[in-house]
Amino acid sequence: MTKLATDAADGQDFIVFDGECVLCSGFFRFMVARDKAQRFKFATAQSPFGQRLYSHLGLPMRDFETNLVVTDGVVHQRLDAFAAAMRTLPGFWWVLSICRFLPGFVKDPLYHLIARNRYAIFGRSPTCMIQDKTMQARFLPEGF
């Protein structure tokens, strides 16, 4: 976890995801469908906002190795990002957040294995697959 040094989204919790990755876009759609309180805004990693944030955090800006979930100004990466997102959802989804308790030597290699192979397994879209105007309204400024 990293405390976000800038007020990047005016205190709004948000998720940054690879907009070309079918798996990552699926995670975005999953969150939009279940985040009824609209706690989260979104941005793609390819967007100007996403690029600034990845640069600020010293993360790769082309081959995105993690989605970012920012809650209460704290940046969560890899499996901890997934856990942070699941903790915010209503219903039984919070149970999936227990993955945050896995030791780093287990969860980081597992996450990297999936992340490295996500395009081969799930596919890649040459453009961001978020076309719906309702979904676009959930994005941060310069996040699309």
Side-chain angles (χ1 to χ4, degrees):
M1 289 184 285
T2 304
K3 186 75 173 165
L4 196 57
T6 62
D7 193 17
D10 295 325
Q12 174 78 49
D13 290 343
F14 60 92
I15 296 172
V16 183
F17 65 98
D18 181 349
E20 295 176 358
C21 169
V22 173
L23 176 64
C24 304
S25 295
F27 174 65
F28 159 74
R29 288 190 301 280
F30 173 89
M31 289 301 296
V32 166
R34 286 155 186 84
D35 179 25
K36 301 297 184 192
Q38 297 191 3
R39 174 179 178 158
F40 289 103
K41 290 286 189 175
F42 299 90
T44 64
Q46 293 84 355
S47 70
F49 178 89
Q51 290 288 286
R52 283 193 307 273
L53 183 58
Y54 276 71
S55 175
H56 175 77
L57 296 171
L59 295 171
M61 296 172 53
R62 295 191 74 147
D63 295 323
F64 308 106
E65 56 185 41
T66 183
N67 289 330
L68 302 173
V69 174
V70 179
T71 56
D72 301 320
V74 177
V75 180
H76 304 273
Q77 297 181 39
R78 297 179 290 284
L79 208 49
D80 289 338
F82 175 78
M86 294 302 104
R87 277 194 313 268
T88 68
L89 297 178
F92 67 91
W93 295 108
W94 67 268
V95 171
L96 296 176
S97 72
I98 64 171
C99 64
R100 74 183 182 273
F101 297 115
L102 291 170
F105 70 88
V106 173
K107 66 183 174 181
D108 289 344
L110 176 64
Y111 186 90
H112 287 299
L113 177 68
I114 294 169
R116 275 192 312 270
N117 296 295
R118 70 188 188 279
Y119 296 134
I121 297 168
F122 299 99
R124 183 178 195 155
S125 177
T127 60
C128 183
M129 300 182 334
I130 312 308
Q131 303 296 329
D132 183 294
K133 296 292 183 197
T134 305
M135 285 189 180
Q136 288 179 13
R138 298 285 307 270
F139 279 77
L140 290 166
E142 296 188 16
F144 188 71

